[in-house]
Amino acid sequence: MSRLRGAIPVLVICLLATACTPGAPDPDGGGTGQPSGELGDRAMDESVVEPLVEAQTQESLGGLPASRLADGVAPATNRWYSGLVYGEQPMAVYPVPMSFGLTAEGFGLGLPPVTTTADLIAGSHTPAITVGTGAAAATVTEHDEFIVKIAVTGERAVGTVQLTRGSPFITWTADEAGTLTVDGAPTEVADGVWETTVAGSRYGMAITDGSLDGSSVTIDQGGVIGWWPVPEGAETTALAQAATSPVTDVELHRERDGEELITTLDYVTDSGSTAYVVEPHQRTGGAGGDQECISAAYASVTGTLALCTGSRLSWRTPVIDVVTDLDLDSLDDADRELLIETVKADAAAVPEFPADSYFGGKALQREAQLLNLASGLELTAEADTIRARLREQLLLWAEQQGCASRAERCFVYDPEAKGMIGQVTAFGSEQFNDHHFHYGHFLYAAAILLLYEPELRDQLSPVMDLLAADIATSEANDSFPQRRVFDTYMGHSWASGTAPFGDGNNQESISEAVNAWTGLALWARASENTDLLDEAEWLLSLEAASGLQYWTDIDLSDPVYSGYDHDIVSLNWSGKREYATWFSPEPAAKLGILLIPLNPSMSYLATDPERIRQRVDEASAAGFDQAFGDYLLMYLAMAGGEDRERAIAEATSLPEEFLDDGNSRSYLLAWILTQP
């Protein structure tokens, strides 16, 4: 249903202004050089991944629960609608602006009411309209990142419900002639168009090839019913025609315009008439363009949404440049000597390399960062030591048949779930939780190692390419879904594989998502895959922009934040946003999880020094001698001036136990010392 098109001229309706990072370092300095080779340009398509999958150890781990997928339909992990697909009971989902949920008799839909408290912005599924088909069974027959179709079979009616990301319409298409019940008392406002008001919100309903009698809709085969929320002051009839012409495709176009990326979604219908909703990250000021828009059509947990008639949604995002090295040339003699002694100590220490795919990957990226520092400081012996242990560990993980002979430090391909899984799982990775968090570390570390030992590419590439395909395949194929974790409409990823929650899918560590696309971009450079590099830079830039908008630099002027007592949102869901984490109630964790691992490409986080200072003050009320204290200090240094000097003093005495396992004393100090 969704297709990636080439670059075309676009109607730009919005601009998100945010900071960009410095340019990439000189390849001669070891930062971003590309090794020579024969692979050339290729995307992560079927012709590339199929032979690699065949050569990989294959094992069905059985991590995914029972699903409502039709036979032959690909798995649907990490989507905004995954909770509807998996588990004993279907969960509500949030196509935006309405929410939707299956019921025993059919389905319900509505505009979620939004409430804000000190720690929570809630907009959970509250069905305003329920539709009955008789005792119902539901099966997902088609899906991609934008559109999901659900076959609902009832005693009185059989048809297909369609949800479309960013469309105001939810539609029913009758596969057979039948009768549905619609609660409430809709009032006819025009031929074939009705309106009902529930809890202060108006809803329109349009019917083709059918009729309404009281609460009973009689519909012919092929007839369509469309529902939509009507904005305050708008005419119900304005969208009636579009409501009964379901979107047949959402075409994605992306192109680069100087230091900005343009992302365009074309909503295709048979009638050519439709509408779409504009999220805060997709606009500043008015909804704009030549479209007719209502700039404050709906309230949502993400903020005020615009509604536009038309078929093309387009927005601009600043490019985030991918860099590998901190600017060690900026150090004065004293700071350089301090860093040299610290790197020597870290190189001499015996590091731990965990066996699971999360902590194991973090340890590899930690070593890769340390290798770059040793090399940049011309510590040849130390660099050799670090490189040797990084090589040893990465080559273990990169053995395609490693899991055939050992039970750890290896990956299998699961042919039923269609994805790569570390044999020792972590945080539900067998259910596809957090794969981008995990695999970004491996891709990052492998790319750095290839800068120093390009001859290892043939040994590293098969497994690393499969990890890249797992999270970022450009086009769906028989081995992997298209962009498994990424939600183009929202501009960010979803971390839960099956989303067994009433509030939809969620993502906490937006910074590790940014790190994933950084690692993907570095790997694409190292393996000379320009198609993958283009996609990785687009993913990185969109994730960073949405991270600022919805996690770290929230727009407190939007009414949705009235009553919210914090400057960040640490955990975003489809149906709520909260100042909370999965693992700790501590304020340091709530900020720190949005910062790790602060790789050199993450300088875009240096926005407002005063807000940075306030966030760190709240998070460090108990001091820096706690988990995530190292990242709080690194973030504080981005405020510059006296804050940087304070961070240096605190970092030199921070107890070892409070260094994150993905960090080192050397990288902690190097980051702080190189902040402007």
Side-chain angles (χ1 to χ4, degrees):
M1 286 174 280
S2 66
R3 298 191 294 270
L4 178 63
R5 302 289 191 180
I8 61 171
V10 296
L11 172 64
V12 176
I13 68 165
C14 46
L15 170 64
L16 176 62
T18 178
C20 293
T21 58
D26 185 346
D28 294 336
T32 58
Q34 296 180 354
S36 61
E38 303 298 327
L39 287 179
D41 300 341
R42 77 268 189 253
M44 285 296 162
D45 61 15
E46 199 161 14
S47 66
V48 174
V49 301
E50 272 199 354
L52 300 180
V53 166
E54 291 174 1
Q56 187 72 25
T57 303
Q58 298 198 12
E59 181 180 354
S60 293
L61 299 183
L64 295 182
S67 76
R68 277 164 286 280
L69 292 169
D71 291 343
V73 177
T77 69
N78 302 90
R79 296 301 190 192
W80 52 269
Y81 51 82
S82 293
L84 182 149
V85 174
Y86 294 102
E88 292 185 8
Q89 298 297 323
M91 296 295 169
V93 294
Y94 300 79
V96 174
M98 288 200 286
S99 61
F100 172 89
L102 292 169
T103 69
E105 292 293 314
F107 55 92
L109 54 91
L111 194 65
V114 179
T115 59
T116 302
T117 61
D119 297 330
L120 176 68
I121 303 168
S124 297
H125 175 56
T126 306
I129 296 171
T130 57
V131 180
T133 65
T139 306
V140 174
T141 57
E142 295 181 52
H143 68 89
D144 62 20
E145 67 173 314
F146 300 107
I147 297 174
V148 57
K149 293 184 178 181
I150 310 154
V152 179
T153 303
E155 296 173 352
R156 300 187 307 273
V158 176
T160 299
V161 177
Q162 179 170 319
L163 314 177
T164 304
R165 198 72 160 130
S167 169
F169 308 117
I170 291 175
T171 60
W172 166 276
T173 300
D175 297 330
E176 301 176 4
T179 302
L180 304 91
T181 58
V182 180
D183 64 355
T187 300
E188 189 167 16
V189 294
D191 186 26
V193 184
W194 289 262
E195 177 187 296
T196 187
T197 300
V198 180
S201 294
R202 289 188 296 153
Y203 295 88
M205 181 176 71
I207 304 174
T208 64
D209 299 320
S211 60
L212 176 68
D213 183 6
S215 62
S216 180
V217 179
T218 301
I219 191 164
D220 298 335
Q221 183 177 12
V224 178
I225 309 172
W227 294 270
W228 69 99
V230 181
E232 184 177 353
E235 294 292 330
T236 304
T237 55
L239 297 179
Q241 179 182 354
T244 54
S245 182
V247 173
T248 59
D249 193 11
V250 180
E251 297 176 352
L252 167 62
H253 315 264
R254 54 185 173 85
E255 65 172 313
R256 182 162 179 165
D257 180 18
E259 292 306 305
E260 292 180 320
L261 293 169
I262 302 172
T263 302
T264 301
L265 302 180
D266 278 340
Y267 290 82
V268 181
T269 66
D270 290 338
S271 69
S273 173
T274 193
Y276 57 82
V277 173
V278 182
E279 289 278 349
H281 74 281
Q282 296 162 339
R283 67 184 178 99
T284 55
D290 294 335
Q291 317 284 26
E292 291 187 11
C293 300
I294 300 172
S295 61
Y298 309 116
S300 83
V301 295
T302 55
T304 304
L305 307 182
L307 173 67
C308 299
T309 56
S311 61
R312 174 164 292 178
L313 167 60
S314 183
W315 69 96
R316 288 178 176 257
T317 308
V319 173
I320 301 296
D321 292 324
V322 180
V323 297
T324 57
D325 295 323
L326 299 171
D327 182 15
L328 300 182
D329 291 339
S330 66
L331 299 176
D332 60 29
D333 291 344
D335 289 346
R336 187 178 185 86
E337 187 58 34
L338 171 63
L339 192 55
I340 286 173
E341 293 306 312
T342 309
V343 170
K344 286 181 176 180
D346 280 338
V350 179
E352 180 182 358
F353 291 101
D356 68 87
S357 60
Y358 179 65
F359 292 105
K362 285 182 71 177
L364 295 175
Q365 183 165 337
R366 178 195 65 214
E367 289 297 292
Q369 301 282 35
L370 192 58
L371 172 58
N372 267 352
L373 291 177
S375 177
L377 294 168
E378 300 180 339
L379 300 175
T380 304
E382 286 76 13
D384 288 346
T385 297
I386 300 163
R387 188 169 71 250
R389 62 198 188 204
L390 179 60
R391 179 199 313 121
E392 178 184 21
Q393 291 296 317
L394 271 171
L395 289 178
L396 275 176
W397 285 97
E399 290 180 19
Q400 285 201 274
Q401 288 294 313
C403 289
S405 59
R406 62 179 182 274
E408 61 180 35
R409 293 180 175 83
C410 60
F411 292 97
V412 300
Y413 175 80
D414 188 327
E416 293 183 4
K418 296 191 181 299
M420 294 287 284
I421 303 174
Q423 187 70 59
V424 178
T425 59
F427 302 106
S429 54
E430 72 279 10
Q431 295 188 354
F432 289 83
N433 293 349
D434 303 348
H435 275 206
H436 54 321
F437 298 165
H438 295 207
Y439 299 166
H441 296 299
F442 285 93
L443 294 167
Y444 197 111
I448 296 300
L449 183 60
L450 284 191
L451 295 177
Y452 301 95
E453 299 190 33
E455 66 275 10
L456 294 177
R457 187 169 70 178
D458 288 347
Q459 292 173 264
L460 295 176
S461 287
V463 168
M464 295 305 143
D465 279 348
L466 286 173
L467 297 186
D470 184 89
I471 59 175
T473 297
S474 300
E475 295 291 340
N477 55 61
D478 289 340
S479 300
F480 297 99
Q482 183 182 43
R483 288 186 295 277
R484 181 191 304 279
V485 300
F486 197 72
D487 183 340
T488 298
Y489 176 76
M490 288 306 301
H492 66 73
S493 309
W494 295 113
S496 177
T498 60
F501 314 107
D503 289 303
N505 215 319
N506 72 89
Q507 181 162 265
E508 181 180 63
S509 184
I510 186 75
S511 54
E512 287 184 291
V514 168
N515 187 69
W517 311 131
T518 308
L520 184 70
L522 292 174
W523 175 251
R525 282 182 185 170
S527 59
E528 297 183 329
N529 186 340
T530 56
D531 292 330
L532 183 61
L533 178 59
D534 287 345
E535 177 151 5
E537 291 178 339
W538 172 72
L539 292 166
L540 168 61
S541 298
L542 264 63
E543 191 96 43
S546 288
L548 291 173
Q549 181 79 46
Y550 301 118
W551 276 263
T552 60
D553 277 52
I554 58 178
D555 179 9
L556 296 174
S557 68
D558 193 296
V560 75
Y561 297 108
S562 179
Y564 186 71
D565 281 354
H566 308 283
D567 199 32
I568 62 169
V569 175
S570 46
L571 181 54
N572 275 272
W573 302 72
S574 302
K576 68 178 179 181
R577 301 168 66 208
E578 57 186 328
Y579 185 66
T581 77
W582 280 103
F583 59 92
S584 172
E586 297 299 325
K590 294 170 185 176
L591 177 58
I593 198 62
L594 309 185
L595 305 175
I596 61 172
L598 279 175
N599 70 56
S601 299
M602 294 175 70
S603 58
Y604 70 89
L605 288 169
T607 52
D608 182 347
E610 181 59 31
R611 291 185 72 173
I612 291 174
R613 191 177 304 115
Q614 290 174 358
R615 292 170 194 143
V616 174
D617 284 347
E618 179 179 9
S620 64
F624 294 99
D625 291 0
Q626 58 176 315
F628 295 100
D630 50 350
Y631 291 112
L632 299 186
L633 290 170
M634 294 164 74
Y635 189 47
L636 179 63
M638 299 178 82
E642 293 181 0
D643 297 296
R644 175 182 173 276
E645 297 306 311
R646 179 189 173 199
I648 293 172
E650 294 277 2
T652 54
S653 60
L654 187 71
E656 195 76 20
E657 63 187 286
F658 298 122
L659 286 174
D660 182 66
D661 48 14
N663 205 357
S664 66
R665 179 87 59 183
S666 296
Y667 189 73
L668 166 64
L669 289 175
W671 174 278
I672 294 172
L673 292 170
T674 56
Q675 293 307 300

